[in-house]
Amino acid sequence: MAKNATDYLNPEVIQQVARLDLQAKFIVEGFIAGLHRSPFHGFSVEFSEHRKYTLGDEIRDIDWGVYGKTDKYYVRKYQAETNLECFLVVDMSESMGYRHGKKGVTKLEYAIYLAAAMGYMMTKQQDPVGLVTFDTNIRGYFPPKSSRSQLISIISELSKNKPGGQTDFDKTITQTAELIKHRGLVVIFSDLLGDPKSVVNGIHQFRFRQHEVILFHVLDAAEVEFPFQGTTIFEDVETGERIQINPDSIRESYQKQMKEFIDNYEKACLDANVDYVQVTTSTPFDKALMEFLMRRERKF
């Protein structure tokens, strides 16, 4: 059954996302605060106003004069902090519609859950969030805004579009990079089943423009584990090419190549100073997001 916007941000989903705050409030707040600082590190900024101290803020930014008057910790808020824009970049190609079996969600549906959670976290901090969807070309573009209505519009746009077409990462990422005028956060959701060189080139374009980049590599568990039995016909959903094989005869080789596929992307992202997050649709999305936030907190 097709999903709509309310399925992705209904009370149950909101509760799951909100639980990120309850389970690790300081991790989430520190993550957001860190995002505000990192794209602008080393650049001069102008003092704007004060805000309450949160874990992850620099001690040196505490205004001790304000503390002396209020007995509360406040940090100086700089103009650069008010301009962190987040772009959710979602792969809408045909392969993202894959789901093994009748239960669970497709890769695209899972990506939308993650995007909704990230968007919710950012808009809660009053940070502007925008959207780019793509396959062979850019499908849709929403310039960043910080309102809750913007988040609903973004999720509605994602939920009403069906996956289709092939992936042209190099071309669409070039177009996307040109749309993003200010340094900020770019969060990509894709199964990365295009040309690896094209994908890596696209990532480097964002880093060259000094964006902070998080790459969620979304795969179906069956694509990683290869649980198929008996003679099976496999079809490339983007090209229509078919092949009939016995899965047992290639399982070991397939799993080895899949591991290399994932490892190569992880290394490329590490080299480019990009956060790489490999997830499968069998993992609850809030758990996957929490594990990423905790891992990033440990890194810093």
Side-chain angles (χ1 to χ4, degrees):
M1 179 182 296
K3 294 181 181 289
N4 55 42
T6 56
D7 291 318
Y8 295 103
L9 213 54
N10 62 28
E12 182 180 348
V13 174
I14 288 290
Q15 187 177 25
Q16 284 179 280
V17 177
R19 219 166 33 231
L20 296 174
D21 288 343
L22 296 175
Q23 292 176 339
K25 182 178 178 63
F26 294 123
I27 289 177
V28 173
E29 291 183 351
F31 165 74
I32 298 293
L35 290 176
H36 276 268
R37 289 194 303 272
S38 55
F40 304 95
H41 181 70
F43 293 87
S44 62
V45 290
E46 296 180 1
F47 173 73
S48 174
E49 56 185 281
H50 291 92
R51 63 173 170 78
K52 288 184 179 180
Y53 173 85
T54 59
L55 185 66
D57 289 330
E58 295 286 350
I59 298 296
R60 65 189 179 205
D61 288 337
I62 294 176
D63 192 320
W64 297 106
V66 174
Y67 172 76
K69 295 177 182 178
T70 65
D71 201 32
K72 295 181 180 179
Y73 293 108
Y74 283 84
V75 296
R76 298 178 183 88
K77 189 173 182 180
Y78 296 95
Q79 189 62 40
E81 287 191 288
T82 67
N83 293 326
L84 175 65
E85 294 183 348
C86 173
F87 271 89
L88 307 172
V89 181
V90 183
D91 182 355
M92 303 288 290
S93 62
E94 187 71 40
S95 64
M96 289 292 287
Y98 178 74
R99 175 182 63 191
H100 177 60
K102 297 182 179 180
K103 295 183 179 180
V105 296
T106 67
K107 290 183 285 185
L108 179 56
E109 289 171 340
Y110 191 88
I112 296 173
Y113 277 117
L114 285 173
M118 288 295 296
Y120 179 85
M121 287 170 52
M122 301 302 292
T123 54
K124 190 177 178 183
Q125 299 292 323
Q126 298 184 328
D127 286 318
V129 177
L131 172 72
V132 174
T133 57
F134 72 95
D135 45 44
T136 309
N137 294 288
I138 289 180
R139 279 204 197 181
Y141 168 68
F142 280 63
K145 296 179 183 178
S146 56
S147 64
R148 177 177 167 79
S149 62
Q150 168 80 343
L151 181 59
I152 296 297
S153 296
I154 284 174
I155 299 171
S156 178
E157 174 71 13
L158 289 170
S159 62
K160 74 182 183 183
N161 277 275
K162 295 181 180 180
Q166 299 185 31
T167 309
D168 190 334
F169 236 93
D170 214 350
K171 176 183 175 183
T172 54
I173 294 303
T174 297
Q175 294 171 341
T176 301
E178 292 172 353
L179 288 172
I180 303 176
K181 305 300 183 184
H182 306 289
R183 281 171 296 178
L185 172 66
V186 178
V187 190
I188 305 170
F189 306 89
S190 175
D191 56 13
L192 304 181
L193 295 182
D195 174 24
K197 184 178 179 180
S198 176
V199 174
V200 174
N201 286 342
I203 291 170
H204 278 283
Q205 289 191 57
F206 285 130
R207 293 298 295 142
F208 178 76
R209 289 170 169 80
Q210 299 180 322
H211 296 300
E212 184 90 2
V213 181
I214 302 172
L215 175 60
F216 282 95
H217 188 184
V218 183
L219 295 170
D220 190 282
E223 292 177 310
V224 178
E225 299 164 4
F226 205 69
F228 307 98
Q229 300 290 332
T231 302
T232 306
I233 297 176
F234 293 91
E235 179 178 349
D236 186 320
V237 294
E238 294 192 4
T239 66
E241 181 181 355
R242 290 186 166 199
I243 183 172
Q244 179 175 301
I245 54 173
N246 181 347
D248 292 337
S249 65
I250 65 165
R251 180 170 289 105
E252 185 176 344
S253 174
Y254 173 90
Q255 291 175 335
K256 179 181 178 181
Q257 290 184 52
M258 176 56 72
K259 184 178 184 306
E260 291 176 355
F261 171 71
I262 293 172
D263 289 348
N264 287 340
Y265 274 126
E266 185 171 17
K267 182 180 184 303
C269 288
L270 181 64
D271 292 342
N273 197 24
V274 166
D275 280 316
Y276 172 82
V277 191
Q278 196 276 307
V279 293
T280 60
T281 55
S282 60
T283 303
F285 78 91
D286 55 332
K287 179 183 177 184
L289 188 54
M290 175 58 69
E291 288 177 351
F292 160 65
L293 293 171
M294 294 179 70
R295 188 171 75 245
R296 184 184 174 100
E297 180 74 5
R298 288 195 296 268
K299 186 171 74 172
F300 292 101

